[in-house]
Amino acid sequence: MLAELFAAAADGCRDRSPLTQRLLTDAADDLRQGGVTARIMAGSECDREGTVPGLRFAGAVHRLVLEGRAPGLAKHYPSVGGQPHLPTLWEDALPALNAHADVLRQRVLATVVQTNEPGRSAPLYGGLMVAAQEAAKAAGRHVPFCVRLLEVGASGGLNLRPHHVGYRLEDTVLGDPDSLLVLDPQWTGRPPADLSHRLRVVGRAGCDLTPVDVSTEDGRLHLSSFVWADQLERWNRLRDALDLAATDPVRVDRSAGPEWLAHQLARVERDVLTVVWHSVVWQYVSPADRAMGRAVLADAAAKATPTTPLALLVFEPRREIDFKFALMLKLWPAGISLCLGVGEGHGTPFTWDVTPWE
C-alpha cells in the first residue's frame, strides 16, 4: 500500500518535477524490495492517502540537501545549484539515505506536508479587490471597504500580506511596486474590479494546526524543503516571500479552524469587510471540522449588515471542473455568490472568468 502511495505521488509530479518523480518512483521500487526506504518509512505503513507519505519523504530528503548533509546528492538539486541527472539520481541518493536513515525516519513521522505558496497571493489580491468593491456597492458606498483578512490553514502566513506584494502586469505593477516580492500573476483577463483603487488591509490573522514560524531558520528550511527542488520559479518566489515576511511579521495561531474562526468572528468591526480566506486546505480537513466551520460561518453570515459585511474567499480544487483550482467568493448580506476564475494550484497562471457559484 505504501509503495502504491509513493507511486501515485510520483505520478502527480509528472511533467512538473522530473526530479521528484524519479526519486519517488525509485523509492517506491525500493519499498517493494524492503530496502532502506522501508526502514525510513517504518511506522508509516498504514498511512492514508491524505497524509501524502511520499511527499513527506521527498521533503525530508530535500531538507538533508539544504542542510549540506548530502553532498553527493546535492549535485542533482537545482535549489542548491545542482543539475539533475536522473539515471544516477537513486544511486547517489542511497549513501545519504543509509547514512541518515534514523534522522529521515524521525522527520517523516513527525512532519506534515506544509506548503505556503506565495503565488496564491495573486488571485487573492484580485479577489479581495472584487469583494471590497462589491460590498461597497451593496452598501451604497462610493469607496471600497477596508479589509480584515482571516486565513484558515495559514501555514507560515506568507499570504497574509497581499497588499504588500507587487503584481506585474504588461504596463503597470499593482499593489506595492517596491515590494521585496513582485509576482508575475500570469493573468488571462482581469478581475471584475476597478484596479486603480488601493487595497486597504486593516487587520490580519491566521491559524493552522501546525503553524510554521518563518522568523526562524528551522521554519524557513521546513517550508523550503517541500518546494520541488527543480521548480526554481517557485523556489525564488518563496525566498522573496520569506524575506518580505521578515520585514512584516504576522503571527499564525496554533488552533483548529472552527474554534479559531468562531473567536475571530465574534468581534465585529464597523465599516470593515471581514474576509475569511483559505487555499488548498479543504482536502486536509475532517468532515466533522468542515461541518463545524460551515456552521460558524453561517452564524456570522446571518448577523452581517451592510456596514459590517462578511465574505468567504477560497481557492480550492473543484470536482465539477476536473479538479481545477477555482477562486470562489460569497458575500453577505449582499447575497453575492461567484466563481471568479480558475488557475493552477500554485496561484499562477490564473484565468479570470466570472460565473455563478452554485
Side-chain angles (χ1 to χ4, degrees), residues 9 144 190:
R190 293 290 182 268

Side-chain angles (χ1 to χ4, degrees), residues 306-351:
T307 58
T308 59
L310 174 68
L312 173 66
L313 185 63
V314 303
F315 186 61
E316 299 285 353
R318 298 295 302 274
R319 181 182 292 105
E320 59 269 30
I321 52 175
D322 298 326
F323 291 97
K324 292 180 181 177
F325 291 81
L327 182 69
M328 296 165 287
L329 170 68
K330 287 185 181 290
L331 188 62
W332 298 277
I336 291 172
S337 186
L338 299 172
C339 176
L340 298 175
V342 296
E344 295 296 321
H346 299 145
T348 61
F350 187 86
T351 298

Side-chain angles (χ1 to χ4, degrees), residues 19 22-23 73 76-77 85-94:
L19 174 67
R22 186 57 178 263
L23 177 71
L73 184 56
H76 295 279
Y77 277 67
H85 184 250
L86 301 183
T88 59
L89 174 64
W90 188 251
E91 176 186 340
D92 290 332
L94 280 173

